[in-house]
């Protein structure tokens, strides 16, 4: 299938700098589409109009000519989305009728967030350390087939029936949260009705619109959220999110056929970070890790939590790149590594006496993995805001070439700062 489309997927545990990347590419797009995840994502974009942290809106919303779709694979918090639209509008960006939410998008409701918090509070040692945005509980209700979807908002008697069914089925769980309002049909109905009125024109058939766009050769940007290693099925389970963050999530979340994805670019930081609990073989808990955290401003854009930091885990990226069939890579935050004498890169996980350069993701293995490092020389020169590959220090180029060699895919872009223009198109 010939296609003008571009798909951006995270290659690590999220926070790879996809916000800046999708902002860069959405300038050339007709459509920007989110296919999975919810307000757990936090895409940070710095533009002339200021800094934006988008959780649910596709980044294309910042560009007037771009239509934006939220696909059925997304879980959408109506209150959060409304706030986000208002913030964007208050900074002078007209959103008009540019946003379409699919009928089948599941709604994140107040009790989902309360239940997320309740579960996380049960046992700190076993907690996933979620973003508390109600993501897991909403996807769980989807799987249990009792969730409430955007399309239900369009018919008030159907909405009442769905709420009744939901409360009957979930009674025990809602009781456990300990807040009587969650058991009230009227509470939920009255909570949702204002959105039903506000959103009526924004709810529709994303799959059909995408079909038309693909048939007429429109340029579509598919924005992945989170990263490959947080995939519900293929990541470091159970320390994962609750959606398919790899390429499969695009097809199941949007109803478009294979081939629609166009070029697939995998975004990876020049090092590794992770928020929340779970295995992280190349983690640095020393002063180098702290230096990376401070210099890279590694604090969660959704929760403000300090991110765990570590050396680049190329073995994990190799598997991520394979799973989504990436055509090329985008390396972000290269400038954060300026000034080190040497840099370690994890090329395999050692478990028992065996080394895996395409390591199993599941936590039972990864928790016991020791990183196998290759040490590369660092560089002292600044790469900050560098826009020309010929001006990169020799050792920085060596670092990039090593990534290409290990992953077997070209690095197509390098990001060297938070501003959209601090971007090198590598030849
Ligand atoms: P949840 O998605 O809120 O259920 O959180 C599950 C796990 O995924 C936690 O470890 C979160 O920190 C992590 N997570 C979810 N979304 C993101 C993201 O956008 N970036 C980085 N980590 C994330």
């Amino acid at each position: 299938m010939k296609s003008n489309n571009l798909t951006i997927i995270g290659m690590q545990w999220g926070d790879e700098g996809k916000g800046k990347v999708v902002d860069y590419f959405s300038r050339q797009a007709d459509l920007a589409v989110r296919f999975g995840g919810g307000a757990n994502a936090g895409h940070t974009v710095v533009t002339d109009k200021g800094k934006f942290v988008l959780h649910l809106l596709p980044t294309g919303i910042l560009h007037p000519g771009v239509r934006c779709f939220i696909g059925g694979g997304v879980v959408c918090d109506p209150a959060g989305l409304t706030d986000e639209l208002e913030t964007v509008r208050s900074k002078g960006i007209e959103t008009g009728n540019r946003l379409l939410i699919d009928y089948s998008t599941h709604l994140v409701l107040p009790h989902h967030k309360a239940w997320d918090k309740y579960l996380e509070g049960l046992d700190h040692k076993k907690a996933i350390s979620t973003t508390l945005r109600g993501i897991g509980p909403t996807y769980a209700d989807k799987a249990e087939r009792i969730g409430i979807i955007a399309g239900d908002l369009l018919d008030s008697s159907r909405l009442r029936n769905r709420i009744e069914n939901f409360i009957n089925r979930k009674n025990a769980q809602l009781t456990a949260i300990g807040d009587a309002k969650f058991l009230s049909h009227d509470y939920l109905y009255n909570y949702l009705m204002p959105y039903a009125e506000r959103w009526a024109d924004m709810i529709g058939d994303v799959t059909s619109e995408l079909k038309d766009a693909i048939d007429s050769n429109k340029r579509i940007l598919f924005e992945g959220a989170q990263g490959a290693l947080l995939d519900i099925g293929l990541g470091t389970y159970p320390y994962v999110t609750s959606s398919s963050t790899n390429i499969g999530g695009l097809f199941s979340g949007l109803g478009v056929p294979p081939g629609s994805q166009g070029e697939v670019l995998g975004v990876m930081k020049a090092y590794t970070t992770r928020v929340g609990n779970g295995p992280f073989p190349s983690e640095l808990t020393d002063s180098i890790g702290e230096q990376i955290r401070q210099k890279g401003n590694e604090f969660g854009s959704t929760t403000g939590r300090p991110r765990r930091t570590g050396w680049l885990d190329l073995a994990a990226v190799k598997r991520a790149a394979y799973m989504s069939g990436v055509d090329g890579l985008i390396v972000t935050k290269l400038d954060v590594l300026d000034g080190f004498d040497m840099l370690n890169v994890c090329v395999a996980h050692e478990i028992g006496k065996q080394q895996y350069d395409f390591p199993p993701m599941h936590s039972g293995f990864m928790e016991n993995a020791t990183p196998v490092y290759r040490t590369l020389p660092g560089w002292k020169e600044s790469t900050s805001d560098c826009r020309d590959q010929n001006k990169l220090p020799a050792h920085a180029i060596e670092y990039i070439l090593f990534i290409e060699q290990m992953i077997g895919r070209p690095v197509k872009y390098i990001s060297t700062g938070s501003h959209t223009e601090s971007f090198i198109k590598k030849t």
Side-chain angles (χ1 to χ4, degrees):
M1 183 190 290
K2 189 171 142 291
S3 147
N4 284 326
N5 305 340
L6 176 65
T7 297
I8 300 294
I9 305 266
M11 295 284 96
Q12 294 159 318
W13 279 292
D15 307 321
E16 296 92 351
K18 294 184 295 298
K20 174 185 156 166
V21 167
V22 291
D23 179 51
Y24 179 85
F25 288 111
S26 57
R27 289 147 198 252
Q28 301 139 35
D30 299 306
L31 285 169
V33 185
R34 273 282 303 270
F35 55 83
N40 47 351
H43 289 169
T44 308
V45 186
V46 183
T47 73
D48 298 340
K49 291 199 156 77
K51 180 175 163 181
F52 294 84
V53 184
L54 300 173
H55 300 285
L56 273 164
L57 284 169
T59 308
I61 204 76
L62 303 178
H63 303 288
V66 183
R67 286 190 75 203
C68 295
F69 293 169
I70 294 181
V74 174
V75 290
C76 187
D77 172 3
L81 183 64
T82 303
D83 285 353
E84 227 169 275
L85 276 168
E86 270 162 22
T87 306
V88 166
R89 284 177 190 144
S90 73
K91 291 193 182 175
I93 292 169
E94 193 42 63
T95 55
N97 56 1
R98 290 200 289 128
L99 180 66
L100 185 70
I101 305 161
D102 193 69
Y103 292 125
S104 58
T105 305
H106 278 250
L107 301 180
V108 181
L109 300 170
H111 58 261
H112 290 126
K113 294 188 217 172
W115 188 241
D116 201 355
K117 196 169 165 198
Y118 174 88
L119 292 177
E120 284 287 296
L122 285 180
D123 180 349
H124 282 289
K125 283 202 205 97
K126 291 194 184 129
I128 307 291
S129 198
T130 72
T131 58
L132 301 179
R133 298 295 173 110
I135 305 300
T138 308
Y139 279 115
D141 283 355
K142 177 178 181 174
E144 280 185 54
R145 290 148 293 177
I146 53 171
I148 293 171
I149 61 177
D152 294 333
L153 296 178
L154 302 179
D155 174 344
S156 58
S157 70
R158 182 180 168 82
L159 180 61
R160 277 212 178 273
N161 285 337
R162 294 296 298 161
I163 291 174
E164 193 173 327
N165 177 53
F166 172 78
I167 291 180
N168 289 344
R169 290 275 299 272
K170 280 287 191 185
N171 204 292
Q173 192 182 93
L174 294 168
T175 305
I177 299 175
D179 186 337
K181 72 171 180 275
F182 293 134
L183 289 159
S184 153
H185 298 74
D186 284 346
Y187 163 75
L188 199 49
Y189 185 79
N190 293 333
Y191 174 83
L192 283 170
M193 276 323 275
Y195 299 111
E197 281 151 27
R198 257 167 135 154
W199 285 16
D201 296 337
M202 291 198 294
I203 298 171
D205 187 348
V206 163
T207 305
S208 165
E209 294 273 347
L210 282 173
K211 179 181 179 303
D212 291 347
I214 291 167
D215 289 347
S216 53
N217 258 324
K218 290 269 192 312
R219 293 161 305 177
I220 309 173
L221 175 66
F222 296 105
E223 299 185 11
Q226 289 83 40
L229 311 183
L230 287 173
D231 188 288
I232 177 75
L234 304 167
T236 53
Y237 191 88
Y239 299 101
V240 290
T241 188
S242 299
S243 55
S244 300
T245 56
N246 281 292
I247 195 81
L250 186 156
F251 306 117
S252 61
L254 296 172
V256 292
S260 316
Q261 75 277 8
E263 185 177 22
V264 182
L265 295 179
V267 187
M268 54 179 282
K269 263 181 203 163
Y271 49 94
T272 311
T273 62
R274 147 159 235 176
V275 265
N277 292 332
F280 183 172
S282 63
E283 183 168 16
L284 288 164
T285 50
D286 57 6
S287 60
I288 298 182
E290 186 55 29
Q291 209 176 320
I292 293 176
R293 183 175 306 109
Q294 294 303 331
K295 211 165 156 203
N297 191 23
E298 296 297 352
F299 298 89
S301 43
T302 299
T303 58
R305 294 179 290 180
R307 295 179 184 141
R308 297 157 67 193
T309 54
W311 296 121
L312 176 58
D313 187 343
L314 271 187
V317 172
K318 188 172 178 179
R319 190 167 172 120
Y322 174 78
M323 292 192 293
S324 285
V326 305
D327 299 297
L329 295 161
I330 301 178
V331 176
T332 62
K333 293 192 147 185
L334 184 70
D335 54 304
V336 173
L337 296 184
D338 293 351
F340 287 102
D341 292 327
M342 63 83 192
L343 299 164
N344 282 330
V345 178
C346 172
V347 293
H349 294 182
E350 190 170 282
I351 303 161
K353 287 198 167 48
Q354 205 169 333
Q355 291 194 356
Y356 298 84
D357 66 356
F358 190 80
M361 287 290 124
H362 107 84
S363 294
F365 276 94
M366 226 200 248
E367 270 156 11
N368 299 312
T370 326
V372 178
Y373 286 125
R374 185 76 66 80
T375 302
L376 300 180
W379 54 91
K380 293 291 172 192
E381 305 89 327
S382 166
T383 65
S384 188
D385 294 321
C386 179
R387 294 170 193 192
D388 177 355
Q389 80 182 73
N390 297 316
K391 294 198 172 134
L392 285 176
H395 287 159
I397 293 173
E398 201 179 307
Y399 193 78
I400 296 293
L401 294 179
F402 186 72
I403 293 172
E404 291 186 331
Q405 186 197 331
M406 291 298 301
I407 306 297
R409 292 283 186 281
V411 170
K412 296 203 168 178
Y413 295 86
I414 303 165
S415 164
T416 55
S418 59
H419 201 276
T420 311
E421 307 305 324
S422 304
F423 216 40
I424 299 170
K425 186 171 192 312
K426 188 176 151 293
T427 49

